[in-house]
Amino acid sequence: MDLDASEIVGDDRIKEECAVIGVIGDSEAANYCYLGLFAMQHRGQEGAGIVSTDGSAMYAHRDMGLVADVFDEAAIARLPGYCAVGHTRYATFGTKDWQNLQPLVANFADNSFAIAHNGNLINANEIRHQLEADGAIFSATTDTEVVLHLVARAVKQKTIAEKVAAGLKDVRGAYSLVVTTYNRMIAIRDPAGVRPLSLGKLGNGYIVASETCAFDLVGATFIREIEPGEILEITKDGEMNSTFLPKLENTAFCVFEYIYFARPDSQLEGKNVYSVRKALGAELAKEHPADADLVIPVPDSGVPSSIGYAQEAGLPMEFGLIRNHYVGRTFIEPKQSIRDFGVRVKLNANPGVFEGKRVVVVDDSIVRGTTCRKLVKMLRGAGAKEIHFRISSPPTVGSCHYGIDTPSKDELVASKYQLDEILEYIGADSLGYLSIEGVYRAVGEERKSYCDACFSSEYRLGLPQQCERPAHVRSNRPKSKAK
Ligand code: 5GP
Ligand code: MG
């Protein structure tokens, strides 16, 4: 099977992975946002931004790069005020398009509005065309800008929460939003609750963030999650008011947050992500045992499930693969050539661990298949006698349209090939994926309140409309060869 001959089919969707944060009621609001974004850097490494307000003006600092590089003391000092919202972003396309960096800011007739968005809107293009036909001007290509326009146009509504509710009425897709105006912060989660968003207490004020690991760093206490469909307003004085968008019969929280995306020390739906990942590994060991001497995790994402696998199987676990922490996550490097290079420099086989051994190698997912193919070669070179690859999620067969940057369907090895073909491609002795039922046993919940489209191709919120975009919006990404 010659996978190298397959072509990446360019698609011009803007796919974003992000973290959002907001702090209100503290004169160090921007500084706390900076720290929280730093804790959530794994959710987006391409750009970061913070917008603060002191009630009379909005102050913004946004740039391409990692949080620690984008901000220095001087930049944070230029973000005064009692409220700040922040964002980290990764998008496959438009790497250099600075205008897409968030939070986006707009001036309305009587207020200003800064917005940070995690997720993807599936009918943003359509709404944008309608607005443009009506004379609206857009300065960015991100789907979030349509929300600004829709809220600004809700002129009949009096309060900002009413405007937000009216503006979001026709928006479909995934959105966890944090907004600040001159006098309040608003946290919003789409009615399906696809992306996480939590509320915490921070000194005399409040904090909202995509993940609770941000609370730990700033010393905030977790209060609760923002509910699906909730519009939560918090004033400077700490007054809170919740209203709700129309309820859905079933919510659709992203199960991939548990499998890969969230940090293991975060809490989602009251569950510790690390514990869920261990349970995923234990289920994997039950479904796909192997006659082996050792269990080896693929760091970092495969470590918790590997521990669970080893404990369940009663096998010793060894750190047979050592990671160089100064290389970014291979998958998120924008260029294919850099990604391939990254696999080699990122992980190295620890000498002496593999010689003559039958090993179970555990990772969280196979996307293109390049990582495990290279690992198998490396481990054979290091003397492994048998290699049994085990994956703590089902085959990844569909792209995410709700805010995770999965490559297009054509690049996903499991969307084109059967298990035996994938096994042949990666060159291991056996391959086992966790079943979808196994995933929900580990999560301890019923499947009906989750989105698992990347494993099932069931897009519960629908697919983005295939509508023609104007030439200036389209990415001109060249077709390239998949590896
Ligand atoms: P592959 O080489 O098969 O394309 O990638 C597999 C690796 O990508 C796995 O180790 C997995 O942890 C990682 N991965 C899976 N999904 C994502 C994602 O959405 N973003 C990033 N950065 N890595 C991912
Ligand atoms: Mg990984």
Side-chain angles (χ1 to χ4, degrees), residues 22-31 33 50-61 76-86 103 105-107 110-115 179-186 234-236:
V23 171
I24 188 160
D26 196 298
S27 57
E28 296 288 319
N31 218 325
C33 278
I50 295 174
V51 173
S52 72
T53 183
D54 55 9
S56 61
M58 295 266 174
Y59 308 88
H61 184 82
I76 292 173
R78 288 193 298 271
L79 296 167
Y82 68 92
C83 182
V85 295
V105 188
N107 297 314
D110 55 353
N111 211 328
S112 280
F113 195 88
I115 183 169
V179 166
T180 180
T181 66
Y182 285 150
N183 46 22
R184 60 198 62 217
M185 183 169 87
I186 306 156
I234 310 175
T235 66
K236 184 182 180 178

Side-chain angles (χ1 to χ4, degrees), residues 260 298-302 330 346 363-365 371:
Y260 169 82
V298 180
D300 291 328
S301 57
T330 53
K346 186 176 156 189
D363 203 356
D364 66 286
S365 56
T371 304

Side-chain angles (χ1 to χ4, degrees), residues 40 75 128 132 260 276 279 282 355 451 479:
M40 299 190 291
R128 183 184 172 118
E132 281 174 335
Y260 169 82
V276 173
E355 197 54 57
C451 174
K479 284 192 171 182

Side-chain angles (χ1 to χ4, degrees), residues 17 42 45 90 256 259-261 298-302 329-333 339 343 346-347 363-373 375 396 404-407 411-413:
E17 297 182 329
H42 61 288
Q45 300 86 10
Y90 171 75
F256 199 61
I259 290 164
Y260 169 82
F261 202 38
V298 180
D300 291 328
S301 57
R329 288 179 178 189
T330 53
F331 181 88
I332 55 93
E333 297 291 348
R339 201 191 80 232
V343 174
K346 186 176 156 189
L347 293 168
D363 203 356
D364 66 286
S365 56
I366 296 180
V367 183
R368 297 180 176 88
T370 47
T371 304
C372 44
R373 181 182 161 101
L375 285 177
T396 304
I404 290 206
D405 169 50
T406 340
E411 294 173 71
L412 302 171
V413 68

